[in-house]
Amino acid sequence: MKKQTALLVLFLFYLSPMAIGQSDGNYDYTKEFTWGINKNTNGGLIGGAVMKFSRALNDQQFRTIGFEIINVKHPKELKRPSHTGGQFQYGKSNHLFALRGQYGRDFILFKKAPQSGVQINASITAGPTLGIVAPYYVVLGSTGKAEPYTDPSTIDQIQGSGSILDGLSSASILPGLNAKTSISFEMGAFKSNVTGFELGLLMEAYPKEVELMLDHDNRAVYFSAFITLFYGNRK
């Protein structure tokens, strides 16, 4: 993850001065709403879902309000087959779902023409996080019931993972803070629609360690690199 993060930082710094030097297009808008899916270095194939509302402050700057729900995973998580053919996460003790609120600014580095080209924005946001910490359940052969996974020595009795709903029924809330910086590339064949992707870095902090694994170091502060694919409209 450190190598991926370092490469992304270098890419963002390299790209910014190139974008600032470009000429502006001729399409002005005052509002934008986008939504999409997120892939990050602390998540699985799909990390979660995001949405963002933007309103113009001037020709080059927008005020933004964003929301994200992300499944945060420990880097040591590994699926293993059970003796019955099912699968489970060996040593996993809790799920962590991060509900993030974000407030910040978008800065237009290069504005696209109405029906062609690419718009490039830089973004800085921060806000509160509600961490939903839900116990990870496994189905044990000795009982045939889903129970919280608290003892790695029961590996020979595990039949597979329990339902995520089992854990959510006894979840706890852990408040935190998040901050991120990013570069986005917006495209669209029509001036009122936008599609694109966002590359960036995010930091999230909780007041105490979040136990995601039983036998590995856990942490209170998380860093990640991410890419978000988004779609939306503007007017």
Side-chain angles (χ1 to χ4, degrees):
M1 187 184 77
K2 291 182 178 179
K3 183 178 180 181
Q4 292 174 308
T5 302
L7 289 174
L8 183 56
V9 171
L10 290 174
F11 175 73
L12 296 180
F13 277 106
Y14 173 75
L15 182 64
S16 296
M18 292 175 59
I20 292 173
Q22 301 293 324
S23 60
D24 287 345
N26 56 6
Y27 172 56
D28 293 324
Y29 60 98
T30 60
K31 297 178 183 178
E32 184 176 84
F33 170 61
T34 60
W35 62 94
I37 56 174
N38 173 280
K39 164 70 176 174
N40 64 81
T41 52
N42 287 336
L45 180 61
I46 296 178
V50 305
M51 66 174 60
K52 184 171 72 173
F53 305 87
S54 303
R55 183 182 292 271
L57 296 176
N58 54 52
D59 289 344
Q60 299 296 321
Q61 188 177 155
F62 282 71
R63 178 177 62 242
T64 67
I65 298 175
F67 301 94
E68 299 183 353
I69 178 167
I70 304 294
N71 181 13
V72 181
K73 295 188 175 184
H74 194 284
K76 298 295 185 181
E77 286 189 25
L78 178 66
K79 282 188 177 181
R80 294 187 58 168
S82 69
H83 66 281
T84 60
Q87 288 190 328
F88 67 100
Q89 300 279 1
Y90 177 71
K92 182 179 179 69
S93 57
N94 288 294
H95 298 280
L96 173 59
F97 300 101
L99 277 63
R100 300 169 183 153
Q102 296 163 337
Y103 178 84
R105 295 289 186 270
D106 276 5
F107 304 92
I108 299 178
L109 304 181
F110 172 44
K111 184 178 291 186
K112 71 184 290 293
Q115 279 132 0
S116 64
V118 177
Q119 178 164 305
I120 303 176
N121 299 340
S123 178
I124 299 176
T125 63
T129 296
L130 283 181
I132 300 177
V133 184
Y136 176 63
Y137 275 64
V138 293
V139 178
L140 296 178
S142 58
T143 63
K145 297 180 180 179
E147 300 180 14
Y149 189 14
T150 59
D151 185 1
S153 67
T154 59
I155 183 172
D156 292 334
Q157 303 175 39
I158 296 175
Q159 296 182 0
S161 296
S163 169
I164 183 63
L165 298 178
D166 295 326
L168 288 176
S169 64
S170 55
S172 60
I173 302 297
L174 187 63
L177 297 172
N178 71 85
K180 74 176 184 180
T181 181
S182 64
I183 293 284
S184 64
F185 301 82
E186 298 185 355
M187 298 157 280
F190 302 99
K191 64 182 183 180
S192 60
N193 294 334
V194 56
T195 59
F197 63 94
E198 179 183 19
L199 300 170
L201 303 171
L202 180 136
M203 183 277 291
E204 189 160 63
Y206 296 94
K208 63 178 183 179
E209 288 187 354
V210 184
E211 184 185 278
L212 298 182
M213 300 290 287
L214 297 171
D215 294 333
H216 294 283
D217 291 336
N218 294 291
R219 61 189 71 171
V221 179
Y222 295 81
F223 294 93
S224 64
F226 68 86
I227 179 171
T228 297
L229 305 178
F230 60 82
Y231 175 83
N233 54 70
R234 54 170 60 135
K235 58 184 180 178

